[in-house]
Amino acid sequence: ALFGLYLMPMNAITLIAGRTGRVWSISVLAAATNIGLNLALVPSIGTLAAAINTAIGYGLLLLGVVFYMRRVCDPPLPYDARRIALSVALIGIAAFTTSRLTEADSIGGLVTRLAVTFAVAAVLLMGPFRQDTTAAIRAFR
């Protein structure tokens, strides 16, 4: 989810401002934090620490790119935080629910997870985002 959210401001930096010169330093900082936390915590805590450390690294990457976007994009792109939060929550709930209710290594589990993924995608495209979706389709035509 954090990497997906990172793509929005990164696209604004790349496509609108065209000023990606400092993004490498943000990426290096986030990666170094992830690696450092992994070296410090994984031997004692295990794979859970690796998962949390990766989320922390992606969170730093997202924050760094958002702050950089606000500096180089004039004016910064507005985001509808409510819709983004709704989407992340819906995807998270669906992923958590299917991971708890289905077996990961069975065909039935795979089919169920794919069905839920497509259902969530349909809800996001046709549900709370319907006006935006139809406007985008019209603009594309």
Side-chain angles (χ1 to χ4, degrees), residues 98-114:
T98 57
S99 72
R100 295 292 178 206
L101 298 178
T102 62
E103 294 182 32
D105 56 351
S106 71
I107 295 295
L110 174 65
V111 169
T112 302
R113 289 177 187 207
L114 284 173

Side-chain angles (χ1 to χ4, degrees), residues 16 25 27 118:
I16 294 172
S25 60
S27 300
F118 286 120

Side-chain angles (χ1 to χ4, degrees), residues 1-17:
L2 292 171
F3 180 72
L5 292 172
Y6 149 85
L7 293 174
M8 292 185 293
M10 188 62 212
N11 284 339
I13 292 168
T14 305
L15 300 174
I16 294 172

Side-chain angles (χ1 to χ4, degrees), residues 58-130:
Y58 278 125
L60 284 175
L61 183 65
L62 172 62
L63 286 174
V65 169
V66 165
F67 287 125
Y68 186 65
M69 178 200 68
R70 292 192 174 279
R71 198 171 128 222
V72 299
C73 291
D74 188 31
L77 291 179
Y79 290 109
D80 188 346
R82 193 177 124 248
R83 286 184 179 183
I84 293 170
L86 174 67
S87 300
V88 170
L90 184 61
I91 292 167
I93 290 167
F96 179 78
T97 304
T98 57
S99 72
R100 295 292 178 206
L101 298 178
T102 62
E103 294 182 32
D105 56 351
S106 71
I107 295 295
L110 174 65
V111 169
T112 302
R113 289 177 187 207
L114 284 173
V116 169
T117 300
F118 286 120
V120 168
V123 166
L124 291 176
L125 288 174
M126 300 303 173
F129 301 104
R130 184 153 190 215

Side-chain angles (χ1 to χ4, degrees), residues 27-48:
S27 300
V28 167
L29 175 67
T33 301
N34 185 12
I35 292 168
L37 288 171
N38 280 340
L39 292 173
L41 300 176
V42 169
S44 61
I45 299 174
T47 56
L48 179 61

